PDB file of all heavy atoms in Angstrom:
ATOM      1  N   THR B 318      -2.659  -6.155 -26.855  1.00 94.00           N
ATOM      2  CA  THR B 318      -3.997  -6.029 -27.486  1.00 94.00           C
ATOM      3  C   THR B 318      -4.793  -7.195 -26.962  1.00 94.00           C
ATOM      4  O   THR B 318      -4.467  -8.371 -27.060  1.00 94.00           O
ATOM      5  CB  THR B 318      -3.896  -6.164 -28.997  1.00 94.00           C
ATOM      6  OG1 THR B 318      -2.977  -5.093 -29.410  1.00 94.00           O
ATOM      7  CG2 THR B 318      -5.159  -6.038 -29.668  1.00 94.00           C
ATOM      8  N   VAL B 319      -6.031  -6.801 -26.311  1.00 93.00           N
ATOM      9  CA  VAL B 319      -6.771  -7.890 -25.632  1.00 93.00           C
ATOM     10  C   VAL B 319      -8.230  -7.722 -26.067  1.00 93.00           C
ATOM     11  O   VAL B 319      -8.641  -6.587 -26.411  1.00 93.00           O
ATOM     12  CB  VAL B 319      -6.611  -7.709 -24.100  1.00 93.00           C
ATOM     13  CG1 VAL B 319      -5.191  -7.756 -23.656  1.00 93.00           C
ATOM     14  CG2 VAL B 319      -7.306  -6.440 -23.567  1.00 93.00           C
ATOM     15  N   THR B 320      -8.923  -8.831 -25.926  1.00 93.00           N
ATOM     16  CA  THR B 320     -10.367  -8.846 -26.108  1.00 93.00           C
ATOM     17  C   THR B 320     -10.963  -9.551 -24.910  1.00 93.00           C
ATOM     18  O   THR B 320     -10.575 -10.695 -24.564  1.00 93.00           O
ATOM     19  CB  THR B 320     -10.757  -9.666 -27.414  1.00 93.00           C
ATOM     20  OG1 THR B 320     -10.147  -8.936 -28.434  1.00 93.00           O
ATOM     21  CG2 THR B 320     -12.215  -9.673 -27.523  1.00 93.00           C
ATOM     22  N   PHE B 321     -11.932  -8.926 -24.256  1.00 93.00           N
ATOM     23  CA  PHE B 321     -12.591  -9.460 -22.999  1.00 93.00           C
ATOM     24  C   PHE B 321     -13.637 -10.474 -23.366  1.00 93.00           C
ATOM     25  O   PHE B 321     -14.289 -10.392 -24.418  1.00 93.00           O
ATOM     26  CB  PHE B 321     -13.185  -8.297 -22.204  1.00 93.00           C
ATOM     27  CG  PHE B 321     -12.186  -7.415 -21.612  1.00 93.00           C
ATOM     28  CD1 PHE B 321     -11.834  -6.266 -22.240  1.00 93.00           C
ATOM     29  CD2 PHE B 321     -11.552  -7.633 -20.372  1.00 93.00           C
ATOM     30  CE1 PHE B 321     -10.860  -5.321 -21.765  1.00 93.00           C
ATOM     31  CE2 PHE B 321     -10.598  -6.850 -19.846  1.00 93.00           C
ATOM     32  CZ  PHE B 321     -10.246  -5.649 -20.570  1.00 93.00           C
ATOM     33  N   PRO B 322     -13.654 -11.458 -22.639  1.00 92.00           N
ATOM     34  CA  PRO B 322     -14.688 -12.602 -22.911  1.00 92.00           C
ATOM     35  C   PRO B 322     -16.145 -12.104 -22.687  1.00 92.00           C
ATOM     36  O   PRO B 322     -16.358 -11.159 -21.970  1.00 92.00           O
ATOM     37  CB  PRO B 322     -14.403 -13.680 -21.937  1.00 92.00           C
ATOM     38  CG  PRO B 322     -13.780 -12.949 -20.851  1.00 92.00           C
ATOM     39  CD  PRO B 322     -12.968 -11.898 -21.292  1.00 92.00           C
ATOM     40  N   ARG B 323     -17.074 -12.633 -23.457  1.00 87.00           N
ATOM     41  CA  ARG B 323     -18.461 -12.253 -23.244  1.00 87.00           C
ATOM     42  C   ARG B 323     -19.134 -12.811 -22.137  1.00 87.00           C
ATOM     43  O   ARG B 323     -20.018 -12.115 -21.478  1.00 87.00           O
ATOM     44  CB  ARG B 323     -19.251 -12.619 -24.648  1.00 87.00           C
ATOM     45  CG  ARG B 323     -18.724 -11.930 -25.729  1.00 87.00           C
ATOM     46  CD  ARG B 323     -19.807 -12.302 -26.975  1.00 87.00           C
ATOM     47  NE  ARG B 323     -19.403 -11.551 -28.186  1.00 87.00           N
ATOM     48  CZ  ARG B 323     -20.093 -11.662 -29.301  1.00 87.00           C
ATOM     49  NH1 ARG B 323     -21.026 -12.492 -29.406  1.00 87.00           N
ATOM     50  NH2 ARG B 323     -19.561 -10.950 -30.382  1.00 87.00           N
ATOM     51  N   ASP B 324     -18.812 -14.053 -21.736  1.00 85.00           N
ATOM     52  CA  ASP B 324     -19.483 -14.701 -20.688  1.00 85.00           C
ATOM     53  C   ASP B 324     -18.673 -14.668 -19.295  1.00 85.00           C
ATOM     54  O   ASP B 324     -17.379 -14.746 -19.363  1.00 85.00           O
ATOM     55  CB  ASP B 324     -19.552 -16.234 -20.970  1.00 85.00           C
ATOM     56  CG  ASP B 324     -20.483 -16.376 -22.216  1.00 85.00           C
ATOM     57  OD1 ASP B 324     -21.397 -15.599 -22.311  1.00 85.00           O
ATOM     58  OD2 ASP B 324     -20.162 -17.312 -23.003  1.00 85.00           O
ATOM     59  N   PRO B 325     -19.353 -14.516 -18.236  1.00 84.00           N
ATOM     60  CA  PRO B 325     -18.605 -14.505 -16.925  1.00 84.00           C
ATOM     61  C   PRO B 325     -17.860 -15.783 -16.738  1.00 84.00           C
ATOM     62  O   PRO B 325     -18.413 -16.888 -16.980  1.00 84.00           O
ATOM     63  CB  PRO B 325     -19.788 -14.338 -15.840  1.00 84.00           C
ATOM     64  CG  PRO B 325     -20.886 -13.630 -16.631  1.00 84.00           C
ATOM     65  CD  PRO B 325     -20.747 -14.243 -18.039  1.00 84.00           C
ATOM     66  N   GLY B 326     -16.739 -15.626 -16.064  1.00 77.00           N
ATOM     67  CA  GLY B 326     -15.927 -16.875 -15.908  1.00 77.00           C
ATOM     68  C   GLY B 326     -15.088 -17.204 -17.015  1.00 77.00           C
ATOM     69  O   GLY B 326     -14.150 -18.107 -16.854  1.00 77.00           O
ATOM     70  N   GLY B 327     -15.203 -16.685 -18.233  1.00 74.00           N
ATOM     71  CA  GLY B 327     -14.481 -16.948 -19.324  1.00 74.00           C
ATOM     72  C   GLY B 327     -13.024 -16.185 -19.326  1.00 74.00           C
ATOM     73  O   GLY B 327     -12.881 -15.305 -18.597  1.00 74.00           O
ATOM     74  N   ALA B 328     -12.283 -16.625 -20.210  1.00 75.00           N
ATOM     75  CA  ALA B 328     -10.980 -16.041 -20.450  1.00 75.00           C
ATOM     76  C   ALA B 328     -11.015 -15.365 -21.817  1.00 75.00           C
ATOM     77  O   ALA B 328     -11.462 -15.924 -22.835  1.00 75.00           O
ATOM     78  CB  ALA B 328      -9.842 -17.095 -20.381  1.00 75.00           C
ATOM     79  N   GLY B 329     -10.462 -14.219 -21.903  1.00 80.00           N
ATOM     80  CA  GLY B 329     -10.361 -13.489 -23.178  1.00 80.00           C
ATOM     81  C   GLY B 329      -9.084 -13.870 -23.953  1.00 80.00           C
ATOM     82  O   GLY B 329      -8.311 -14.720 -23.584  1.00 80.00           O
ATOM     83  N   ALA B 330      -8.861 -13.088 -25.042  1.00 83.00           N
ATOM     84  CA  ALA B 330      -7.729 -13.212 -25.954  1.00 83.00           C
ATOM     85  C   ALA B 330      -6.727 -12.234 -25.714  1.00 83.00           C
ATOM     86  O   ALA B 330      -7.028 -10.986 -25.599  1.00 83.00           O
ATOM     87  CB  ALA B 330      -8.317 -13.274 -27.361  1.00 83.00           C
ATOM     88  N   VAL B 331      -5.438 -12.598 -25.919  1.00 84.00           N
ATOM     89  CA  VAL B 331      -4.312 -11.604 -25.847  1.00 84.00           C
ATOM     90  C   VAL B 331      -3.588 -11.882 -27.118  1.00 84.00           C
ATOM     91  O   VAL B 331      -2.987 -12.861 -27.357  1.00 84.00           O
ATOM     92  CB  VAL B 331      -3.377 -11.869 -24.602  1.00 84.00           C
ATOM     93  CG1 VAL B 331      -2.204 -10.953 -24.625  1.00 84.00           C
ATOM     94  CG2 VAL B 331      -4.139 -11.796 -23.298  1.00 84.00           C
ATOM     95  N   GLU B 332      -3.649 -10.833 -27.981  1.00 78.00           N
ATOM     96  CA  GLU B 332      -3.069 -11.030 -29.344  1.00 78.00           C
ATOM     97  C   GLU B 332      -1.626 -10.602 -29.380  1.00 78.00           C
ATOM     98  O   GLU B 332      -0.836 -11.244 -30.147  1.00 78.00           O
ATOM     99  CB  GLU B 332      -3.773 -10.098 -30.345  1.00 78.00           C
ATOM    100  CG  GLU B 332      -5.246 -10.491 -30.472  1.00 78.00           C
ATOM    101  CD  GLU B 332      -5.994  -9.555 -31.493  1.00 78.00           C
ATOM    102  OE1 GLU B 332      -5.304  -8.782 -32.168  1.00 78.00           O
ATOM    103  OE2 GLU B 332      -7.220  -9.468 -31.427  1.00 78.00           O
ATOM    104  N   ALA B 333      -1.158  -9.726 -28.549  1.00 65.00           N
ATOM    105  CA  ALA B 333       0.183  -9.424 -28.472  1.00 65.00           C
ATOM    106  C   ALA B 333       0.444  -8.791 -27.083  1.00 65.00           C
ATOM    107  O   ALA B 333      -0.410  -8.137 -26.527  1.00 65.00           O
ATOM    108  CB  ALA B 333       0.536  -8.267 -29.609  1.00 65.00           C
ATOM    109  N   SER B 334       1.731  -8.975 -26.536  1.00 58.00           N
ATOM    110  CA  SER B 334       1.993  -8.470 -25.321  1.00 58.00           C
ATOM    111  C   SER B 334       3.487  -8.133 -25.249  1.00 58.00           C
ATOM    112  O   SER B 334       4.338  -8.840 -25.860  1.00 58.00           O
ATOM    113  CB  SER B 334       1.808  -9.575 -24.268  1.00 58.00           C
ATOM    114  OG  SER B 334       2.075  -9.072 -22.920  1.00 58.00           O
ATOM    115  N   ALA B 335       3.778  -6.991 -24.633  1.00 55.00           N
ATOM    116  CA  ALA B 335       5.140  -6.520 -24.529  1.00 55.00           C
ATOM    117  C   ALA B 335       5.311  -5.805 -23.185  1.00 55.00           C
ATOM    118  O   ALA B 335       4.461  -5.021 -22.841  1.00 55.00           O
ATOM    119  CB  ALA B 335       5.523  -5.660 -25.629  1.00 55.00           C
ATOM    120  N   ALA B 336       6.313  -6.217 -22.534  1.00 54.00           N
ATOM    121  CA  ALA B 336       6.665  -5.474 -21.255  1.00 54.00           C
ATOM    122  C   ALA B 336       7.657  -4.373 -21.479  1.00 54.00           C
ATOM    123  O   ALA B 336       8.687  -4.604 -22.045  1.00 54.00           O
ATOM    124  CB  ALA B 336       7.127  -6.440 -20.071  1.00 54.00           C
ATOM    125  N   GLY B 337       7.390  -3.298 -21.059  1.00 51.00           N
ATOM    126  CA  GLY B 337       8.231  -2.051 -21.167  1.00 51.00           C
ATOM    127  C   GLY B 337       8.831  -1.646 -19.854  1.00 51.00           C
ATOM    128  O   GLY B 337       8.165  -1.797 -18.836  1.00 51.00           O
ATOM    129  N   SER B 338      10.050  -1.387 -19.761  1.00 46.00           N
ATOM    130  CA  SER B 338      10.671  -0.901 -18.493  1.00 46.00           C
ATOM    131  C   SER B 338      10.269   0.463 -18.158  1.00 46.00           C
ATOM    132  O   SER B 338      10.105   1.319 -18.945  1.00 46.00           O
ATOM    133  CB  SER B 338      12.115  -1.034 -18.496  1.00 46.00           C
ATOM    134  OG  SER B 338      12.709  -0.197 -19.555  1.00 46.00           O
ATOM    135  N   GLY B 339       9.942   0.710 -16.883  1.00 47.00           N
ATOM    136  CA  GLY B 339       9.681   2.122 -16.372  1.00 47.00           C
ATOM    137  C   GLY B 339      10.786   2.644 -15.598  1.00 47.00           C
ATOM    138  O   GLY B 339      11.890   2.531 -16.027  1.00 47.00           O
ATOM    139  N   THR B 340      10.431   3.104 -14.490  1.00 45.00           N
ATOM    140  CA  THR B 340      11.448   3.619 -13.522  1.00 45.00           C
ATOM    141  C   THR B 340      12.502   2.468 -13.111  1.00 45.00           C
ATOM    142  O   THR B 340      12.010   1.573 -12.484  1.00 45.00           O
ATOM    143  CB  THR B 340      10.896   4.385 -12.408  1.00 45.00           C
ATOM    144  OG1 THR B 340      10.037   5.420 -12.909  1.00 45.00           O
ATOM    145  CG2 THR B 340      12.001   4.960 -11.474  1.00 45.00           C
ATOM    146  N   LEU B 341      13.775   2.668 -13.265  1.00 45.00           N
ATOM    147  CA  LEU B 341      14.689   1.643 -12.841  1.00 45.00           C
ATOM    148  C   LEU B 341      14.924   1.922 -11.344  1.00 45.00           C
ATOM    149  O   LEU B 341      14.713   2.968 -10.837  1.00 45.00           O
ATOM    150  CB  LEU B 341      15.964   1.887 -13.579  1.00 45.00           C
ATOM    151  CG  LEU B 341      15.940   1.471 -15.127  1.00 45.00           C
ATOM    152  CD1 LEU B 341      17.288   1.810 -15.812  1.00 45.00           C
ATOM    153  CD2 LEU B 341      15.608   0.007 -15.248  1.00 45.00           C
ATOM    154  N   PRO B 342      15.242   0.770 -10.663  1.00 47.00           N
ATOM    155  CA  PRO B 342      15.555   0.841  -9.278  1.00 47.00           C
ATOM    156  C   PRO B 342      16.756   1.809  -9.034  1.00 47.00           C
ATOM    157  O   PRO B 342      17.566   1.965  -9.924  1.00 47.00           O
ATOM    158  CB  PRO B 342      15.970  -0.489  -8.853  1.00 47.00           C
ATOM    159  CG  PRO B 342      15.270  -1.430  -9.809  1.00 47.00           C
ATOM    160  CD  PRO B 342      15.227  -0.633 -11.012  1.00 47.00           C
ATOM    161  N   THR B 343      16.717   2.491  -7.894  1.00 42.00           N
ATOM    162  CA  THR B 343      17.777   3.491  -7.651  1.00 42.00           C
ATOM    163  C   THR B 343      19.216   2.981  -7.842  1.00 42.00           C
ATOM    164  O   THR B 343      20.018   3.670  -8.435  1.00 42.00           O
ATOM    165  CB  THR B 343      17.581   4.186  -6.362  1.00 42.00           C
ATOM    166  OG1 THR B 343      16.252   4.719  -6.227  1.00 42.00           O
ATOM    167  CG2 THR B 343      18.562   5.233  -5.995  1.00 42.00           C
ATOM    168  N   PRO B 344      19.561   1.815  -7.282  1.00 46.00           N
ATOM    169  CA  PRO B 344      20.917   1.347  -7.379  1.00 46.00           C
ATOM    170  C   PRO B 344      21.324   1.099  -8.872  1.00 46.00           C
ATOM    171  O   PRO B 344      22.464   1.300  -9.233  1.00 46.00           O
ATOM    172  CB  PRO B 344      20.910   0.044  -6.624  1.00 46.00           C
ATOM    173  CG  PRO B 344      19.810   0.042  -5.713  1.00 46.00           C
ATOM    174  CD  PRO B 344      18.744   0.908  -6.331  1.00 46.00           C
ATOM    175  N   VAL B 345      20.252   0.740  -9.745  1.00 43.00           N
ATOM    176  CA  VAL B 345      20.624   0.587 -11.213  1.00 43.00           C
ATOM    177  C   VAL B 345      20.921   1.930 -11.842  1.00 43.00           C
ATOM    178  O   VAL B 345      21.882   2.051 -12.620  1.00 43.00           O
ATOM    179  CB  VAL B 345      19.505  -0.108 -11.948  1.00 43.00           C
ATOM    180  CG1 VAL B 345      19.732  -0.244 -13.312  1.00 43.00           C
ATOM    181  CG2 VAL B 345      19.288  -1.466 -11.278  1.00 43.00           C
ATOM    182  N   ARG B 346      20.002   2.942 -11.464  1.00 46.00           N
ATOM    183  CA  ARG B 346      20.239   4.215 -12.127  1.00 46.00           C
ATOM    184  C   ARG B 346      21.569   4.856 -11.665  1.00 46.00           C
ATOM    185  O   ARG B 346      22.316   5.407 -12.395  1.00 46.00           O
ATOM    186  CB  ARG B 346      19.041   5.117 -11.658  1.00 46.00           C
ATOM    187  CG  ARG B 346      17.631   4.708 -12.092  1.00 46.00           C
ATOM    188  CD  ARG B 346      16.818   5.862 -12.112  1.00 46.00           C
ATOM    189  NE  ARG B 346      16.706   6.500 -10.750  1.00 46.00           N
ATOM    190  CZ  ARG B 346      15.944   6.163  -9.794  1.00 46.00           C
ATOM    191  NH1 ARG B 346      14.979   5.176 -10.103  1.00 46.00           N
ATOM    192  NH2 ARG B 346      15.742   6.807  -8.663  1.00 46.00           N
ATOM    193  N   VAL B 347      21.935   4.604 -10.391  1.00 45.00           N
ATOM    194  CA  VAL B 347      23.241   5.144  -9.835  1.00 45.00           C
ATOM    195  C   VAL B 347      24.362   4.466 -10.579  1.00 45.00           C
ATOM    196  O   VAL B 347      25.330   5.093 -11.046  1.00 45.00           O
ATOM    197  CB  VAL B 347      23.355   5.027  -8.401  1.00 45.00           C
ATOM    198  CG1 VAL B 347      24.721   5.337  -7.905  1.00 45.00           C
ATOM    199  CG2 VAL B 347      22.347   5.842  -7.664  1.00 45.00           C
ATOM    200  N   GLY B 348      24.373   3.163 -10.736  1.00 49.00           N
ATOM    201  CA  GLY B 348      25.392   2.447 -11.386  1.00 49.00           C
ATOM    202  C   GLY B 348      25.474   2.840 -12.893  1.00 49.00           C
ATOM    203  O   GLY B 348      26.707   2.995 -13.481  1.00 49.00           O
ATOM    204  N   LEU B 349      24.285   3.077 -13.538  1.00 47.00           N
ATOM    205  CA  LEU B 349      24.395   3.486 -14.976  1.00 47.00           C
ATOM    206  C   LEU B 349      25.038   4.819 -15.104  1.00 47.00           C
ATOM    207  O   LEU B 349      25.882   5.172 -15.975  1.00 47.00           O
ATOM    208  CB  LEU B 349      23.050   3.360 -15.617  1.00 47.00           C
ATOM    209  CG  LEU B 349      22.496   1.947 -15.798  1.00 47.00           C
ATOM    210  CD1 LEU B 349      21.082   2.115 -16.344  1.00 47.00           C
ATOM    211  CD2 LEU B 349      23.351   1.127 -16.789  1.00 47.00           C
ATOM    212  N   SER B 350      24.632   5.737 -14.214  1.00 48.00           N
ATOM    213  CA  SER B 350      25.225   7.047 -14.209  1.00 48.00           C
ATOM    214  C   SER B 350      26.749   7.035 -14.029  1.00 48.00           C
ATOM    215  O   SER B 350      27.445   7.761 -14.728  1.00 48.00           O
ATOM    216  CB  SER B 350      24.531   7.927 -13.182  1.00 48.00           C
ATOM    217  OG  SER B 350      23.185   7.988 -13.392  1.00 48.00           O
ATOM    218  N   ALA B 351      27.139   6.262 -13.138  1.00 51.00           N
ATOM    219  CA  ALA B 351      28.614   6.107 -12.891  1.00 51.00           C
ATOM    220  C   ALA B 351      29.342   5.632 -14.091  1.00 51.00           C
ATOM    221  O   ALA B 351      30.479   6.138 -14.348  1.00 51.00           O
ATOM    222  CB  ALA B 351      28.863   5.218 -11.591  1.00 51.00           C
ATOM    223  N   LEU B 352      28.844   4.584 -14.694  1.00 53.00           N
ATOM    224  CA  LEU B 352      29.442   4.029 -15.904  1.00 53.00           C
ATOM    225  C   LEU B 352      29.532   5.093 -16.990  1.00 53.00           C
ATOM    226  O   LEU B 352      30.532   5.261 -17.682  1.00 53.00           O
ATOM    227  CB  LEU B 352      28.704   2.775 -16.325  1.00 53.00           C
ATOM    228  CG  LEU B 352      28.867   1.545 -15.503  1.00 53.00           C
ATOM    229  CD1 LEU B 352      27.933   0.429 -16.015  1.00 53.00           C
ATOM    230  CD2 LEU B 352      30.313   1.121 -15.520  1.00 53.00           C
TER     231      LEU B 352
END
Side-chain angles (χ1 to χ4, degrees):
T318 300
V319 305
T320 301
F321 293 92
R323 293 185 178 181
D324 299 324
V331 180
E332 299 178 13
S334 180
S338 62
T340 303
L341 293 172
T343 300
V345 176
R346 296 200 305 270
V347 172
L349 290 176
S350 299
L352 288 175

